[in-house]
Amino acid sequence: QVQLVESGGGSVQAGGSLRLSCAASGDINSRAHMGWFRQGPGKEREGVASVNGNNGVTYYADSVKGRFTISQDKAKNTVYLQMAGLKPEDTAAYYCVADGWIPPSRWALPGTWANWGQGTQVTVSS
């Protein structure tokens, strides 16, 4: 059993920055891989970024490359998503995800991940 609690969401103007945090607890073997998904209004849930906690390899959606950075503090059992250059189209509920192992080619598929947080809202105004 893994528990994921997101924080850091809020409202920001276009061009601004936010940092999301995800505090993880529970079975450490089930959260070796962690990541972030988002779901905007009227949109499907999409993968934003993920990190392999075993080797530090990261993955990003093309839409956020160069603007978002995923990082992990293992001592604090926390994963972060630093978001810069925010755009109105980044408006969404952001979800933290975790799993023991995922195939790298499928990191961006929601069905790949077993554990989900409750989500935190990010709203970007123009």
Side-chain angles (χ1 to χ4, degrees):
Q1 193 81 1
V2 174
Q3 293 78 43
L4 304 170
V5 180
E6 304 99 332
S7 61
S11 298
V12 65
Q13 289 192 325
S17 300
L18 280 174
R19 188 179 78 161
L20 305 183
S21 300
C22 172
S25 60
D27 181 13
I28 191 169
N29 292 320
S30 296
R31 46 186 171 92
H33 295 245
M34 297 190 69
W36 292 91
F37 277 69
R38 68 184 181 186
Q39 187 166 19
K43 298 181 180 180
E44 294 185 352
R45 197 166 290 192
E46 64 172 346
V48 176
S50 73
V51 58
N52 181 333
N54 295 318
N55 57 23
V57 174
T58 57
Y59 304 89
Y60 294 94
D62 287 344
S63 59
V64 306
K65 280 181 181 177
R67 299 189 298 124
F68 290 11
T69 303
I70 188 170
S71 61
Q72 188 175 33
D73 186 334
K74 291 186 177 181
K76 296 182 178 180
N77 293 316
T78 300
V79 170
Y80 304 98
L81 185 68
Q82 180 68 50
M83 305 184 293
L86 283 162
K87 305 175 181 179
E89 51 263 43
D90 294 318
T91 294
Y94 283 71
Y95 299 89
C96 180
V97 294
D99 209 312
W101 181 85
I102 58 164
S105 63
R106 299 179 64 85
W107 76 267
L109 300 178
T112 299
W113 300 84
N115 302 288
W116 291 75
Q118 293 299 307
T120 185
Q121 180 67 35
V122 172
T123 301
V124 184
S125 58
S126 58

